[in-house]
Amino acid sequence: QLQLAESGGGLVQPGGSLRLSCAASGFTSHYYTIGWFRQAPGKEREGVSCFSNSGGLTNVADSVKGRFTISRDNAKNTVYLQMNSLKPEDTAVYYCAAAWGVATSLFKDDYNYWGQGTQVTVSS
């Protein structure tokens, strides 16, 4: 089975940066999409960004556009989320997820395989 493991979360001051990693293991195929989602207390889980292996296409939510960048290291089978200029409203548990046949969807219900999440806290 496919397994996903997030890492890189922590506490950072507003304006700071973090880089999250999503490492895939077990069953993999070339043509799938990795998405980053986040969920704050009392709020719905929302799509942040995603990376499609097919053509290297990406999608970024308007709320983080210009601040967050998604990338992939093929040798490590890992997708990264570089988060810059962090704001308190970015505080959430961040999850990575995998899907097939969804192109660059940021709709959480399109994803079937999820990591356990990593906490990101932005506070002064």
Side-chain angles (χ1 to χ4, degrees), residues 1-41:
Q1 61 178 343
L2 178 67
Q3 294 180 318
L4 303 174
E6 305 98 330
S7 62
L11 175 64
V12 65
Q13 294 183 352
S17 298
L18 286 172
R19 188 180 74 162
L20 306 184
S21 299
C22 176
S25 62
F27 174 82
T28 61
S29 66
H30 290 169
Y31 303 104
Y32 63 94
T33 299
I34 293 291
W36 283 100
F37 296 80
R38 66 185 183 185
Q39 188 165 20

Side-chain angles (χ1 to χ4, degrees), residues 33 35-37 44-50 59 97-99 102-112 114:
T33 299
W36 283 100
F37 296 80
E44 295 291 324
R45 189 170 300 186
E46 63 174 341
V48 176
S49 187
C50 65
N59 197 6
V102 303
T104 54
S105 171
L106 291 177
F107 182 44
K108 66 182 187 298
D109 290 349
D110 285 340
Y111 291 76
N112 301 116
W114 294 83

Side-chain angles (χ1 to χ4, degrees), residues 15-90:
S17 298
L18 286 172
R19 188 180 74 162
L20 306 184
S21 299
C22 176
S25 62
F27 174 82
T28 61
S29 66
H30 290 169
Y31 303 104
Y32 63 94
T33 299
I34 293 291
W36 283 100
F37 296 80
R38 66 185 183 185
Q39 188 165 20
K43 298 183 66 177
E44 295 291 324
R45 189 170 300 186
E46 63 174 341
V48 176
S49 187
C50 65
F51 187 107
S52 174
N53 289 350
S54 180
L57 300 177
T58 63
N59 197 6
V60 185
D62 289 341
S63 60
V64 304
K65 192 168 296 182
R67 300 188 297 120
F68 291 11
T69 303
I70 194 168
S71 63
R72 177 178 178 178
D73 185 332
N74 289 326
K76 297 181 179 180
N77 206 20
T78 299
V79 174
Y80 302 96
L81 184 68
Q82 179 67 47
M83 306 186 296
N84 298 325
S85 302
L86 283 161
K87 305 174 181 179
E89 52 262 44
D90 295 319

